Amino acid sequence: MSDPTTPGSIPAAAAVAGDAQGMNVVARTQAQMVRRRFFRHRAAMAGLITLLLIVVLAFSSIGFASVPGWWDKDYFSIATVENRGRPTLSVIPTWLGGDGMHLGEHPFGQDNVGKDYFALTMRGVQQSLTIAFIVGLVGTVIGTMIGATAGYFRGRVEAVLMRFTDVMITIPLLVVAAVLGRRYGSSGIVVLGLVIGLVTWTGLARLVRGEFLSLREKEFVEAARAAGTSARRIIVKHMLPNIVGVIIVAATLAVAAAILLEAALSFLGFGVQDPDTSLGKLISTYQTAFSTRPWLFWFPGVFIIAIALSVNFIGDGLRDAFDPRQNRVRD
Amino acid sequence: MLVFIVRRVIISFFILLAATFVMYLLVANSGNPLQDLQESRAPNREAQIEARIRLLNLDTPAPLRYFIWLRGAAGCLVPFALECDLGQSIQGQDVTALLSVAFSQTLQLVIAATVLAMVLGITVGIVTALRQYSGLDYTVTFSAFLFFSLPIFWVAVLLKEYGAIRFNDWLADPTIPIGVAVVLGTISGLFWMIVIAGDRTRRVTTFAAAFVASAGALWLLSETQWFADPGLGIVVITVTAVGLAFLTTAVVAGFTYRNVLYAALAAAGIGIVCHFALDSVLDDPSGLTIVLLALVTVAVGMGLGYGLGGLQRRQAIQAAVLTGLGTGGLLFVDRLLGAWDSYSDRVGGRVIATIGARTPNFQGTFWEEGLDRATHLLLPTIAIVLISFATYTRYTRSSMLEVLNQDYVRTARSKGLAERGVVVKHAFRNAMIPITTLMAFDFAGVLSGAVITERVFGWTGLGTLFVTSLARVDPNPVMGFFLIAGTAVVVFNMLADIGYAFLDPRIRLS
Amino acid sequence: MTDPSLPVGAPLPDPAAGGVNQPEIIESAAEVHVATKLEETAGPGEKEVLRVEDLTVSFPTDDGLVRAVRGVSYAVHEREVLGIVGESGSGKSVSSMAVMGLLPKSARISGKILYRGDDLLKKSAKQQRALRGKKIAMIFQDPMTALNPVYSIGDQLAEAVLSHEIMPRKKALARAEEMLALVGIPQPKKRLDNYPHEFSGGMRQRAMIAMAVINNPDVIIADEPTTALDVTVQAQILETLVQVKDEVNAAIVLITHDLGVVAGMAHRVLVMYAGKPVEIAETDRIFYHPRMPYTAGLLGSIPSLEGGGGGSRLRPIVGTPPSLINLPQGCPFSPRCPLATDVCHESEPPLAATDELGHVAACHHWDKLADVDDPTVYFRTESEAV
């Protein structure tokens, strides 16, 4: 988190870190320190690389929208099922007694009607990522706006907004998402992402409000107000930059949660609808096939976990980068 | 304080009221409840549609229909008024009846799991905070991240396959091949090596000891066919009970003043003696007997603590009661396992269940029925614990780290207080304040959180009621479900606020 | 530099204005400061209670080894008040935390810390704990955060007793009440049940003092005990401290960045800079005959009570303290020192005697300070200098 006593438009100058222990640290700007700490966070870097690899793989292999990809099969063509749909992917080299390293015709196998399961899984990754990203974005924007408005203006505005937040928090997320998914699941993933995003902002709104309540008492905000700066400008230029760390971390974790939420909705049948697919839907469809054709279950599952884990690690790295306090503990 | 609570109750009530309105509109908007009839080719289609419109008041616009629903629901608020009317399902069943059945199922499922996740998660969170940056800390941190990146239904499917189907297959001939024992022993050795840490020789000895103990135990269990008829046996119970006495003493008082330890050991001893003394009583007891025994245990523990505690009476009472209850729990588990053989025969060797809350039409002794419930609860409980355990560990760890860094913890050390007191009395007590909120949220959320678990494990609880009704666009059961889930959220949030005030004197007064 | 924005204990006579010939000013200053004059209390005894020998403390960090303390030696006698003065980062707090055994595990400590001849660093954790709070007690800077908010004052005081002796709680609470009365808290019995947030800052610091002396310690380490308090209560707290010290016959190590605080309090003063002692002398000698330019600079930056002339202006020492990771070669103060010559940039001066009165200083040019009436003259800017 940035130093709240410094106006955010000016990068907090020198970090007088740990002066109690007599350390003199070279002055660095806030942004530099955050970047440096983030890039030193090994788990976060591993997460970032994994996520990037998955994104590149999913969008380059089968293409996106009208852009074709390098993989020669698509996720909707029906074909004959070969070798009971077993995956042809092999990663054990021959000198270790394996089949050598090759992709084969259907690296992840085929589903019931012969669709290429690699293409299907990649499509699922695309859809799940898109929904999660939209949900995270919409939820963050709304949560920040509501929280900032309530925290800055206080009074009646705050009362109305926060009571509204209380009402929304009362409805468990999975429940309201399922109800919305029941209605909008068939309208395509963008609409689904938007409506779910409309109900996932409550936690962040409370968080941002809390930060704003303490920020608005700070001298630099008073000074800006005394100078006649407009409320909008104070919020956007002076206050938001000070809690950008909190927001970014919350947004990242919201994306991770949204991945799992989408998977859960699709699993219950209230998410992405036929003919489209998502990772959750794939697992849901093939959970009963686990004993006989486990690959139909493993591949989408591994991708969900890899994505959620990567995003969670990135979020953790960001948190440490913005708020290193936790790491400087006397033990 | 009273004013604070009353105000909180009133606000909560209106919030819940508003939430039901929002929810009602959303549900009404979620789909067309007449769709199945409109697509049907039944000759009396028009009449059926007509009947359903009347049943669900579909001719009234949704916002007004809400007030019809609300009038019925208002009856539920008045105690002992029989007019609790939450409407009817599409099939014409009373929602209140549906709910009461489903509710008890869900409670059985979530209570044990949530409590277990809290205890485990908080304990592990404290330990990792105290040993920040140790091998254990890294392992737990990574596992926690992994666990809350897992879709619960995915875990559940794996659990069903490996925890139930294949495990039951294996139980037909429960031998552990030497190779497997060696591998498991190695894993156990590595685990303890990470937990204990220390210098190289310490690590090597830890590994060797854990390896020999685990692999040896597995080999022994396999040779004696233990899994065919498992049980703890008096030796294991005694050793564990004494260990428990030392552990509780270490946590609540430390060993400088021996009286607390004596009280705890006495509690363990009396428990073991009761194992033999109560043999006939425990053959086929009723649930009431067990509850009474638990109460007697608490009373005896308090008596022991009071009598033997000396200058540390309060701590001695705590230690004795906890040890007594723990020993009682061990005896209970031993008895349950004692029913294993006969139970296994009666369910055809498929001991670990994958579907439902109980074996249909199963009747037996108290212990057999208890085991039946336990084996049905086992897998869904593991699934729920895995996921929420992760949250508790992370939250407790960071809360503890924050508190351990506070000046007052340094003050406590500077007084010469033993590390146990610093951690338990000063750090943990303060770290608990934010954790209370999490616990309240979690308890509130478990009802709806069980939706997926219930679905995978075929429990007919609230979650299943919600999912099937929503799929059918059956508004009244969905609203009934929400009324319970929403009330839980509101009530537990309120409890969190009150608990907060209780734990933090700074809030108490204002 | 002494941060001019920090509250300064009390106005001190400016030696520049008064000069060496007016020692009576310091008397009156001490009266402003502490009503109970140190001279009226029991003087230091012969026996050493605490002796620190060549103590070094360093912390490994991402940026390198931070050498927070680089060889500190001092001794504290029975009933003596030793002032340790230095700016933040000079190692004064770290060295006292080392004495208490409260440094993080990552700290690397060497040297000796002798309590009545026994080396604390060689003792087991358990033995160290038995002395901590019993024989050597500590008072911290910020009473707002040093008390646990969820326990009553009585609980926290009684705990200090019960940590070292098993006794009925009632007895421990009675002792706590006695101590609260001793530190001047009215209605101590009622106050036992109060929580820290119901106390004012000054009251909390009194409670901290009560907690420190409740086991009749031999040494009390007071780490900036008045820094976080209102100027108006600072003097009262110092007064209480001196009073209580007498009551329990303890020695005090008074750590502060504020020369004004030690003026009326300490028998001897140790000045620290960049992890090392740079001057040790009796308090009067430090004030009137500093033999280290850094001390002189500190004296020059104290606001004056007298006013008028060049002395009325605050004269900060220019520059900032050196990095403890990359210490400059030579005397660490040389980059900021007006007297620095080539030799200062090349070799670090050892502590050396400057006269027979036990006055030691670490400066190549201490004699230059002895030559002038007002040593702070070196720190005046040109426009100020007469």
Side-chain angles (χ1 to χ4, degrees):
Chain A
M1 196 173 51
S2 42
D3 180 358
T5 57
T6 319
S9 44
I10 307 162
V16 196
D19 53 357
Q21 296 192 343
M23 299 174 208
N24 259 343
V25 176
V26 187
R28 292 188 188 94
T29 67
Q30 178 77 14
Q32 277 172 331
M33 292 207 310
V34 168
R35 214 174 303 137
R36 180 160 164 271
R37 283 195 293 256
F38 181 71
F39 284 120
R40 278 195 183 181
H41 197 285
R42 263 177 286 167
M45 287 316 288
L48 189 63
I49 292 168
T50 314
L51 184 67
L52 284 178
L53 286 179
I54 292 174
V55 170
V56 168
L57 180 69
F59 284 90
S60 72
S61 58
I62 57 166
F64 192 65
S66 56
V67 185
W70 48 263
W71 186 240
D72 58 355
K73 297 180 190 59
D74 55 49
Y75 60 92
F76 41 79
S77 301
I78 293 167
T80 46
V81 180
E82 290 156 31
N83 190 20
R84 289 187 53 236
R86 276 181 194 288
T88 56
L89 177 72
S90 165
V91 288
I92 305 166
T94 35
W95 51 269
L96 271 174
D99 296 338
M101 291 170 54
H102 57 78
L103 288 176
E105 194 63 19
H106 297 290
F108 290 4
Q110 286 171 290
D111 77 350
N112 291 340
V113 289
K115 290 181 194 168
D116 180 54
Y117 207 59
F118 174 70
L120 262 177
T121 309
M122 290 302 112
R123 178 66 179 173
V125 171
Q126 285 184 1
Q127 301 297 78
S128 295
L129 278 174
T130 312
I131 293 181
F133 184 73
I134 297 175
V135 171
L137 194 71
V138 173
T140 306
V141 170
I142 299 180
T144 307
M145 274 174 13
I146 291 186
T149 315
Y152 183 80
F153 291 105
R154 312 226 34 195
R156 197 164 297 167
V157 178
E158 184 192 23
V160 170
L161 287 176
M162 290 334 282
R163 285 299 89 78
F164 179 55
T165 311
D166 288 345
V167 169
M168 294 307 290
I169 279 180
T170 308
I171 310 177
L173 186 56
L174 185 64
V175 171
V176 65
V179 172
L180 288 170
R182 172 74 183 76
R183 169 77 176 76
Y184 298 102
S186 50
S187 314
I189 56 161
V190 176
V191 177
L192 185 64
L194 284 174
V195 293
I196 295 177
L198 285 178
V199 293
T200 54
W201 48 268
T202 47
L204 185 64
R206 283 188 166 180
L207 197 67
V208 171
R209 168 180 165 266
E211 297 284 334
F212 260 62
L213 283 182
S214 64
L215 268 184
R216 76 192 297 277
E217 307 301 329
K218 293 278 193 278
E219 286 85 348
F220 69 89
V221 176
E222 305 240 321
R225 219 178 294 145
T229 317
S230 73
R232 210 181 68 102
R233 198 178 154 79
I234 295 178
I235 292 176
V236 176
K237 289 274 174 192
H238 295 269
M239 293 170 80
L240 277 182
N242 275 294
I243 57 163
V244 75
V246 177
I247 296 175
I248 289 179
V249 171
T252 314
L253 299 178
V255 169
I259 297 261
L260 295 178
L261 180 64
E262 182 278 324
L265 285 185
S266 296
F267 179 80
L268 293 176
F270 301 129
V272 175
Q273 301 293 325
D274 276 330
D276 220 325
T277 193
S278 77
L279 293 176
K281 190 154 171 282
L282 287 174
I283 296 180
S284 172
T285 312
Y286 296 110
Q287 56 165 324
T288 47
F290 185 67
S291 323
T292 49
R293 292 175 293 164
W295 58 89
L296 294 178
F297 176 81
W298 280 110
F299 285 114
V302 166
F303 273 94
I304 290 189
I305 295 167
I307 295 172
L309 193 57
S310 304
V311 179
N312 274 326
F313 273 136
I314 294 172
D316 190 52
L318 286 171
R319 190 195 342 245
D320 283 358
F322 281 111
D323 182 13
R325 226 166 9 123
Q326 284 197 355
N327 286 338
R328 219 185 290 136
V329 163
R330 302 194 184 99
D331 45 349
Chain B
M1 191 72 190
L2 194 68
V3 179
F4 169 75
I5 295 176
V6 170
R7 248 193 68 174
R8 201 67 188 70
V9 169
I10 294 172
I11 293 176
S12 305
F13 174 75
F14 282 104
I15 285 175
L16 185 61
L17 203 63
T20 52
F21 182 67
V22 173
M23 189 66 185
Y24 198 88
L25 295 187
L26 287 176
V27 174
N29 184 40
S30 70
N32 178 7
L34 299 173
Q35 195 163 9
D36 57 327
L37 294 178
Q38 281 161 351
E39 286 165 359
S40 89
R41 292 171 185 279
N44 60 343
R45 202 181 71 157
E46 293 305 320
Q48 281 184 334
I49 291 179
E50 195 56 36
R52 187 173 292 175
I53 288 178
R54 240 178 305 118
L55 178 70
L56 302 177
N57 297 314
L58 291 178
D59 43 359
T60 318
L64 291 180
R65 213 187 309 149
Y66 168 75
F67 290 99
I68 300 175
W69 177 84
L70 189 64
R71 197 175 54 204
C76 306
L77 278 181
V78 187
F80 307 115
L82 299 168
E83 287 298 308
C84 183
D85 178 17
L86 292 173
Q88 287 165 336
S89 73
I90 289 185
Q91 270 104 12
Q93 297 144 297
D94 259 338
V95 169
T96 34
L98 288 176
L99 283 179
S100 61
V101 175
F103 189 54
S104 71
Q105 285 250 315
T106 300
L107 277 191
Q108 285 179 33
L109 177 66
V110 295
I111 286 186
T114 310
V115 171
L116 202 62
M118 281 176 191
V119 173
L120 279 179
I122 292 175
T123 314
V124 173
I126 294 173
V127 174
T128 49
L130 294 180
R131 309 176 71 183
Q132 199 189 10
Y133 302 138
S134 63
L136 174 76
D137 185 29
Y138 285 121
T139 315
V140 169
T141 301
F142 181 80
S143 318
F145 271 99
L146 184 64
F147 290 155
F148 61 54
S149 302
L150 290 177
I152 190 167
F153 50 90
W154 194 80
V155 178
V157 172
L158 285 187
L159 279 173
K160 277 163 89 167
E161 179 68 18
Y162 295 103
I165 299 170
R166 305 223 176 157
F167 182 73
N168 286 338
D169 289 346
W170 174 76
L171 278 179
D173 176 24
T175 50
I176 303 167
I178 277 295
V180 175
V182 168
V183 170
L184 290 177
T186 311
I187 293 173
S188 146
L190 287 174
F191 173 78
W192 285 109
M193 194 172 87
I194 289 169
V195 171
I196 307 274
D199 58 13
R200 181 171 298 183
T201 36
R202 181 121 182 244
R203 279 164 188 266
V204 172
T205 33
T206 311
F207 176 82
F211 173 81
V212 170
S214 316
L218 286 172
W219 177 79
L220 199 69
L221 293 177
S222 169
E223 284 300 296
T224 54
Q225 290 277 307
W226 185 82
F227 287 99
D229 185 15
L232 296 181
I234 192 63
V235 178
V236 175
I237 291 178
T238 310
V239 171
T240 318
V242 170
L244 207 59
F246 274 90
L247 186 73
T248 48
T249 309
V251 172
V252 303
F255 298 105
T256 29
Y257 188 66
R258 290 299 164 111
N259 290 35
V260 180
L261 180 63
Y262 299 150
L265 283 175
I270 292 179
I272 291 162
V273 170
C274 287
H275 172 61
F276 298 105
L278 294 175
D279 201 39
S280 57
V281 181
L282 289 176
D283 261 349
D284 188 9
S286 67
L288 187 68
T289 316
I290 299 295
V291 173
L292 283 179
L293 282 176
L295 289 178
V296 170
T297 311
V298 172
V300 170
M302 288 171 84
L304 285 174
Y306 192 85
L308 298 174
L311 289 171
Q312 289 195 325
R313 199 164 267 165
R314 215 168 48 183
Q315 287 94 325
I317 290 176
Q318 287 169 7
V321 169
L322 286 175
T323 310
L325 286 177
T327 312
L330 282 172
L331 297 177
F332 187 84
V333 170
D334 183 56
R335 286 285 175 160
L336 268 188
L337 290 177
W340 182 281
D341 200 23
S342 60
Y343 177 73
S344 175
D345 285 345
R346 297 188 55 183
V347 292
R350 313 307 291 175
V351 177
I352 307 293
T354 55
I355 296 291
R358 283 192 214 183
T359 309
N361 306 320
F362 181 87
Q363 293 217 313
T365 64
F366 176 83
W367 300 113
E368 283 170 345
E369 286 184 11
L371 192 61
D372 187 49
R373 282 188 199 198
T375 52
H376 280 82
L377 269 172
L378 182 68
L379 296 185
T381 302
I382 293 177
I384 295 177
V385 167
L386 270 189
I387 309 285
S388 33
F389 162 80
T391 324
Y392 279 108
T393 329
R394 291 297 295 168
Y395 210 83
T396 309
R397 177 179 178 272
S398 67
S399 184
M400 274 299 275
L401 285 179
E402 176 104 29
V403 171
L404 282 171
N405 215 8
Q406 298 290 321
D407 282 355
Y408 53 75
V409 169
R410 188 180 58 184
T411 308
R413 288 210 176 95
S414 81
K415 283 193 260 194
L417 189 60
E419 197 58 23
R420 183 198 67 78
V422 174
V423 171
V424 176
K425 205 176 160 195
H426 288 268
F428 180 61
R429 170 68 202 273
N430 279 282
M432 269 310 282
I433 295 175
I435 296 172
T436 325
T437 319
L438 180 72
M439 292 208 287
F441 262 110
D442 208 47
F443 252 120
V446 284
L447 290 179
S448 54
V451 168
I452 294 172
T453 322
E454 282 182 14
R455 184 98 170 145
V456 185
F457 288 102
W459 284 54
T460 50
L462 286 175
T464 306
L465 180 70
F466 167 70
V467 172
T468 49
S469 306
L470 182 62
R472 282 203 295 249
V473 201
D474 188 355
N476 285 335
V478 173
M479 281 310 291
F481 165 80
F482 171 68
L483 198 60
I484 291 183
T487 308
V489 172
V490 167
V491 167
F492 277 101
N493 271 335
M494 206 169 72
L495 288 180
D497 280 357
I498 296 169
Y500 221 100
F502 179 74
L503 284 174
D504 192 338
R506 283 165 296 185
I507 298 175
R508 208 179 294 167
L509 289 168
S510 54
Chain C
M1 80 200 99
T2 307
D3 188 343
S5 68
L6 283 170
V8 171
L12 241 212
D14 185 14
V20 257
N21 301 324
Q22 295 175 322
E24 67 275 10
I25 290 178
I26 202 120
E27 292 284 348
S28 63
E31 266 164 16
V32 173
H33 226 103
V34 183
T36 319
K37 272 180 270 178
L38 204 59
E39 287 74 38
E40 291 167 8
T41 71
E46 289 298 302
K47 264 190 172 162
E48 276 179 13
V49 276
L50 181 69
R51 183 179 193 87
V52 172
E53 280 179 23
D54 200 26
L55 179 72
T56 70
V57 181
S58 52
F59 300 95
T61 68
D62 285 353
D63 299 298
L65 200 64
V66 175
R67 297 163 68 199
V69 179
R70 304 182 298 131
V72 170
S73 304
Y74 61 81
V76 186
H77 298 84
E78 281 177 335
R79 293 185 298 279
E80 183 184 22
V81 180
L82 173 71
I84 299 186
V85 179
E87 47 203 346
S88 42
S90 61
K92 57 191 194 306
S93 287
V94 175
S95 54
S96 57
M97 294 292 267
V99 173
M100 289 298 288
L102 291 176
L103 287 175
K105 280 178 215 148
S106 62
R108 296 184 196 162
I109 310 170
S110 71
K112 280 183 186 165
I113 300 170
L114 304 165
Y115 168 74
R116 294 197 185 273
D118 289 341
D119 192 348
L120 297 184
L121 293 176
K122 291 208 177 92
K123 287 183 181 287
S124 72
K126 207 173 169 182
Q127 289 168 320
Q128 278 189 33
R129 187 177 74 70
L131 288 176
R132 195 186 302 150
K134 174 88 179 158
K135 294 297 180 192
I136 309 176
M138 188 152 181
I139 299 166
F140 296 98
Q141 172 172 354
D142 190 353
M144 307 312 259
T145 57
L147 288 163
N148 193 329
V150 305
Y151 293 111
S152 69
I153 298 286
D155 264 347
Q156 298 190 52
L157 281 155
E159 191 181 41
V161 182
L162 294 171
S163 298
H164 297 282
E165 201 181 335
I166 299 253
M167 61 164 83
R169 234 178 84 81
K170 273 195 187 130
K171 217 170 135 194
L173 280 173
R175 176 115 182 95
E177 186 189 332
E178 213 177 288
M179 285 299 125
L180 285 185
L182 180 68
V183 296
I185 290 182
Q187 295 181 293
K189 189 160 187 93
K190 231 172 112 189
R191 288 303 200 163
L192 283 179
D193 293 329
N194 280 175
Y195 287 90
H197 70 272
E198 297 167 81
F199 273 36
S200 69
M203 297 259 281
R204 289 189 212 189
Q205 197 61 304
R206 283 174 198 270
M208 282 298 292
I209 294 175
M211 191 188 291
V213 296
I214 200 164
N215 287 318
N216 283 325
D218 283 347
V219 186
I220 302 168
I221 299 178
D223 187 355
E224 306 262 11
T226 56
T227 309
L229 299 175
D230 278 357
V231 180
T232 46
V233 293
Q234 289 187 349
Q236 298 169 17
I237 292 297
L238 288 176
E239 189 183 326
T240 308
L241 196 57
V242 172
Q243 233 174 10
V244 165
K245 152 198 132 62
D246 241 30
E247 196 77 30
V248 299
N249 266 325
I252 293 182
V253 178
L254 178 67
I255 297 160
T256 176
H257 68 274
D258 183 352
L259 273 174
V261 168
V262 295
M265 283 280 295
H267 298 105
R268 280 188 308 141
V269 175
L270 181 153
V271 181
M272 280 188 78
Y273 188 78
K276 266 195 171 175
V278 291
E279 186 162 8
I280 307 173
E282 284 181 9
T283 310
D284 283 3
R285 298 280 311 170
I286 288 281
F287 276 92
Y288 298 114
H289 309 285
R291 290 293 175 260
M292 164 72 194
Y294 175 63
T295 316
L298 283 182
L299 288 168
S301 60
I302 295 174
S304 162
L305 183 69
E306 304 300 297
S312 67
R313 200 166 294 176
L314 291 176
R315 292 183 302 260
I317 308 172
V318 291
T320 53
S323 156
L324 294 175
I325 297 173
N326 300 306
L327 277 174
Q329 207 197 350
C331 172
F333 188 60
S334 60
R336 303 167 76 184
C337 182
L339 296 175
T341 55
D342 286 349
V343 63
C344 301
H345 298 297
E346 279 153 22
S347 72
E348 187 168 358
L351 269 181
T354 62
D355 56 23
E356 308 78 46
L357 301 168
H359 188 156
V360 290
C363 180
H364 291 299
H365 303 301
W366 64 267
D367 47 337
K368 282 192 192 161
L369 292 174
D371 289 345
V372 290
D373 277 352
D374 174 12
T376 65
V377 71
Y378 291 110
F379 287 86
R380 293 189 190 173
T381 53
E382 272 160 35
S383 60
E384 267 183 308
V386 186

